[in-house]
Amino acid sequence: MSFTFVSLAGDPTANLRQNPKVSQLTLHLLSHQYHLDQSVPVRYWYWLQDVFLHKLGTSLITSQPIWPDITAHDRPQRRRVVLLAE
């Protein structure tokens, strides 16, 4: 469900594309790093890998792993919400 909402939300690099200080090379590298240049089924496969092998992946905003941030605050309700959303 989370993957569907994120995929339908549009281009995550749209705000960066409007910034003249961000080069085309940087945009290309970000698209490649986050597999945005791949088809939806391929991106879904990478997303599944991130969920199960990389503990929910890396935040696009902070570039930090998502799971340690959730467990650091030790809030069971938050963990349940995140896991249910996945």
Side-chain angles (χ1 to χ4, degrees), residues 4-39:
T4 303
F5 288 133
V6 170
S7 294
L8 295 175
D11 182 7
T13 62
N15 287 338
L16 291 174
R17 290 182 191 285
Q18 296 174 0
N19 186 341
K21 294 180 182 178
V22 179
S23 71
Q24 289 298 316
L25 177 60
T26 300
L27 292 170
H28 175 74
L29 291 174
L30 283 172
S31 291
H32 184 71
Q33 178 182 354
Y34 291 107
H35 312 290
L36 301 173
D37 55 350
Q38 301 290 323
S39 65

Side-chain angles (χ1 to χ4, degrees), residues 24-64:
Q24 289 298 316
L25 177 60
T26 300
L27 292 170
H28 175 74
L29 291 174
L30 283 172
S31 291
H32 184 71
Q33 178 182 354
Y34 291 107
H35 312 290
L36 301 173
D37 55 350
Q38 301 290 323
S39 65
V40 172
V42 172
R43 289 195 326 247
Y44 183 68
W45 174 250
Y46 281 111
W47 180 82
L48 282 175
Q49 286 180 323
D50 279 345
V51 168
F52 293 108
L53 301 177
H54 304 289
K55 300 182 179 177
L56 301 180
T58 304
S59 168
L60 292 173
I61 297 170
T62 65
S63 297
Q64 298 296 315

Side-chain angles (χ1 to χ4, degrees), residues 2 75-86:
S2 295
R75 299 207 173 136
Q77 313 91 304
R78 185 183 301 174
R79 279 184 262 166
R80 272 189 241 126
V81 168
V82 170
L83 292 175
L84 287 173
E86 296 301 327

